[in-house]
Amino acid sequence: MNKIVIATKNAGKVREFAALFAKRGIDVKSLLDFPDVPDVEETGSTFAENARLKAEAISHRFGCPVIADDSGLVVDALGGRPGVYSARYAGEDKNDARNIAKLLHELEGVPMEQRTARFHCALAVAIPGRPTAVVEAACEGYIAEAPRGEGGFGYDPVFYLPEKGKTMAELTPEEKNEISHRAKALAKLDEQWDDIMGGEGRME
Ligand SMILES: O=c1[nH]c(=O)c2ncn([C@@H]3O[C@H](COP(=O)(O)OP(=O)(O)OP(=O)(O)O)[C@@H](O)[C@H]3O)c2[nH]1
Ligand SMILES: [Mg+2]
């Protein structure tokens, strides 16, 4: 298999998946290539449920294997928010700058040691006629007091990695793809790939 459909319209995710799959010799198609396909409603209460909903709906529609990513930012001082609502935290228009502004406002006055957070990623693989597989992974860090860096997408400019001394947005794309929640989840998927595909092909 040398092609896979990723059930997302998020250009940041598509960029990262394209690089991660290129290493494995696989071309990525996404819903940006099929703009008429309507958004799948994210009605689940967990990342795993939403990833499954998106993968199964698009696999059913296209009749082929599909991967979906549901991800977001979990902030301890906010009781886990924005969580599954990360994309729409500041409104339905999914505006990264407004999401960051709202997050920093809610964390005003919270000292650095209490600003612990993690990016969480659930990946679901739906294949017609087979049970859907879901894997999950996280990347730990802190919420910075101000945005820094131009790379990545979403909350990357305020996600601080103490071991790097940088925000996620200050990393190169290659560096982010070595440590991110998405890369870690994809590595887990790699390990289970033969079982998931049931002999349909390997990822590398
Ligand atoms: O700084 C970030 N770096 C990341 O690596 C990252 N991964 C996820 N997120 C945030 O979580 C939402 C996902 O929500 P989400 O999984 O519903 O995706 P989405 O609605 O953007 O696209 P789709 O895949 O559903 O079509 C995104 O929009 C972002 O706000 C990230 N932020
Ligand atoms: Mg979404």
Side-chain angles (χ1 to χ4, degrees):
M1 191 183 70
N2 53 16
K3 220 179 253 171
I4 188 97
V5 175
I6 316 282
T8 184
K9 288 186 179 169
N10 179 318
K13 290 184 187 177
V14 174
R15 233 179 8 249
E16 292 181 12
F17 277 118
L20 289 162
F21 276 105
K23 289 185 204 160
R24 298 161 167 94
I26 293 174
D27 279 343
V28 163
K29 290 268 181 223
S30 76
L31 298 184
L32 295 176
D33 301 305
F34 304 94
D36 295 340
V37 174
D39 281 351
V40 178
E41 263 199 86
E42 295 172 12
T43 53
S45 57
T46 64
F47 295 109
E49 278 177 58
N50 283 335
R52 180 186 292 272
L53 280 173
K54 290 189 274 191
E56 289 180 351
I58 301 302
S59 175
H60 185 70
R61 185 178 179 111
F62 287 3
C64 72
V66 166
I67 296 184
D69 166 316
D70 201 71
S71 46
L73 183 64
V74 176
V75 180
D76 293 321
L78 301 177
R81 279 185 293 124
V84 291
Y85 303 107
S86 293
R88 299 172 180 78
Y89 193 33
E92 278 301 315
D93 59 340
K94 296 192 181 177
N95 181 308
D96 287 345
R98 286 180 46 219
N99 285 341
I100 287 178
K102 179 171 176 181
L103 178 67
L104 293 182
H105 180 69
E106 294 212 323
L107 287 174
E108 255 166 34
V110 177
M112 204 55 193
E113 68 273 14
Q114 289 172 30
R115 298 170 77 100
T116 50
R118 63 207 54 78
F119 276 128
H120 190 98
C121 177
L123 295 182
V125 186
I127 300 172
R130 296 189 59 82
T132 299
V134 181
V135 295
E136 299 187 75
C139 176
E140 301 284 335
Y142 290 80
I143 304 304
E145 283 173 352
R148 252 171 42 194
E150 305 292 327
F153 69 97
Y155 299 90
D156 282 341
V158 290
F159 192 80
Y160 181 74
L161 298 151
E163 67 279 13
K164 300 270 184 196
K166 290 179 180 176
T167 68
M168 199 78 118
E170 293 179 299
L171 302 183
T172 64
E174 293 76 21
E175 285 172 326
K176 179 175 175 186
N177 280 343
E178 276 167 21
I179 58 149
S180 79
H181 47 312
R182 190 159 293 109
K184 287 185 190 172
L186 201 56
K188 284 192 184 171
L189 214 53
D190 247 350
E191 288 168 17
Q192 301 175 26
W193 195 248
D194 279 350
D195 285 344
I196 294 168
M197 294 302 290
E200 280 202 39
R202 282 192 61 76
M203 227 191 239
E204 69 258 332

